[in-house]
Amino acid sequence: MAGATDVLLRLEAGRLKAKRLVSIAELPELCGIRSSATSLHLGAGAYLTDLMADPGFRTELPSAFEAARQFASPQIRNRATLGGNIGNASPAADMVPPLIALGAEATLASKRGARTLPVEELFLGFGKTAIRPDELIREVVVPRRKGSFQAFAKFGSRGANVISVVNMAMCLELDGDRVARARVAYGSVAPKPYRASKVEAYLTGQVLSERLAAGAKEAVLSDIAPIDDVRGSKRHKQRLAVNATQDALSRALAGVRA
Ligand SMILES: Cc1cc2nc3c(=O)[nH]c(=O)nc-3n(C[C@H](O)[C@H](O)[C@H](O)COP(=O)(O)OP(=O)(O)OC[C@H]3O[C@@H](n4cnc5c(N)ncnc54)[C@H](O)[C@@H]3O)c2cc1C
C-alpha cells in the first residue's frame, strides 16, 4: 500500500484479504517530480498535493492538474498517490484519462529490471492491471506538450468529494486551427479507462469549428459503450461524455480565435 486510501477501504469492506501489509509510502525512489528536456517524470509515490504544488505539473499539464484539483478532498489528496490511483485500476480513476490523453508511459520496476508501458496498456479490466506481482510503478513519464490544448472534465452526483460518473480528458496538438493530432480518453464508460480511437480519428486533420464540435456527438456515441449501474444510466453517461467532448472542443475553438 502507498497512501492506503483505497487499500484500507477494501480491507474494511472484506474485498481484500491480507495477512501482512507492506507500506511503500514515501520511499525516496518512488517520490519526487523532475523534468527533462522532453518529459516530466512524476514519481508514482508522489501525493496529489505535491503534484499540484509543482510549477511544471501545473503549467505544462493543465488537464492533469485539473483532475487533481477536482480529486476528492484536501485530506485525501494529502495521502492519495498517483501510483495508487493507477494501481487500484478503477475505471473511474480521475488521474488516468489525462495521463492517457497526454501519451504518458509508466515505468515498472522489479528486481529483474525495468520496463515501460503506455498508461492505457496497464489496464486489463475492472481492478486488473498488467503490473506483475513483483513489480512496482516507479514513475510516470509524461511528454512535454507545450502549446497543446488540454482539457479535463468530471461529472459526479454532487460538486465535490465524489467518484466520477463520467470523466474525460483531451489533448489536441494544433497547427493553427487544424487538429494535427488528437488524444481523447474517458473514465467510467467501460470496465477500464478507455482511449477513444474513433473520436481521435474523427478529430485528427480537421479544422476546429462549431460544426466539428456538434458532429463529435456521433463519434462519441459510436465509440463508448457505458452500462447502466448505481452511478447512472447508460443514456445519462453517454450524454455527459458527449457534453464534455463538445464543451472541450468549443473551448479549443475559442482559444484559437482569441
Ligand atoms: C473519501 C475518498 C474519496 C476519493 N475520491 C477519489 C476521487 O475523487 N477520484 C479518484 O480517482 N479516486 C478517489 N478515491 C480513491 C483513492 O483515493 C485513489 O485511487 C488514490 O489515488 C489511491 O492512492 P493510494 O496511494 O491511497 O493507493 P493505495 O490504497 O495505497 O493503493 C491502491 C492500489 O494500488 C497499488 N499501488 C499503490 N502504489 C503502487 C505502485 N507504486 N506500484 C504498483 N501498485 C501500487 C496498491 O497495491 C493497491 O492495490 C477516493 C477515496 C476516498 C477514500
Side-chain angles (χ1 to χ4, degrees), residues 77-203:
R77 292 197 293 271
N78 285 341
R79 289 302 301 169
T81 64
L82 186 65
N85 199 230
I86 297 169
N88 194 49
S90 161
D94 283 325
M95 297 309 295
V96 173
L99 295 177
I100 294 176
L102 289 161
E105 291 192 327
T107 307
L108 305 174
S110 71
K111 278 203 284 190
R112 291 173 287 115
R115 63 181 179 127
T116 56
L117 272 185
V119 169
E120 64 262 38
E121 290 180 21
L122 287 173
F123 303 102
L124 303 180
F126 186 87
K128 291 202 183 84
T129 69
I131 305 167
R132 295 176 186 139
D134 64 345
E135 285 180 328
L136 284 177
I137 309 165
R138 189 170 65 201
E139 65 176 10
V140 178
V141 183
V142 191
R144 297 190 116 142
R145 300 209 179 270
K146 201 161 184 255
S148 65
F149 168 81
Q150 297 177 31
F152 172 80
K154 166 173 178 168
F155 301 96
S157 54
R158 59 182 183 199
N161 206 3
V162 72
I163 301 297
S164 287
V165 175
V166 165
N167 59 24
M168 183 230 58
M170 182 183 286
C171 179
L172 304 179
E173 307 284 341
L174 295 173
D175 178 8
D177 59 0
R178 200 180 62 85
V179 180
R181 196 152 165 255
R183 289 182 67 105
V184 184
Y186 299 90
S188 283
V189 300
K192 56 183 185 174
Y194 183 75
R195 182 169 171 202
S197 53
K198 287 184 190 159
V199 178
E200 292 179 0
Y202 168 75
L203 295 174

Side-chain angles (χ1 to χ4, degrees), residues 1 23 76 93 103 123 129 135 147 154 190 193 212 227 243:
M1 64 185 196
S23 174
I76 296 290
F123 303 102
T129 69
E135 285 180 328
K154 166 173 178 168
L212 187 75
I227 55 163
N243 286 353

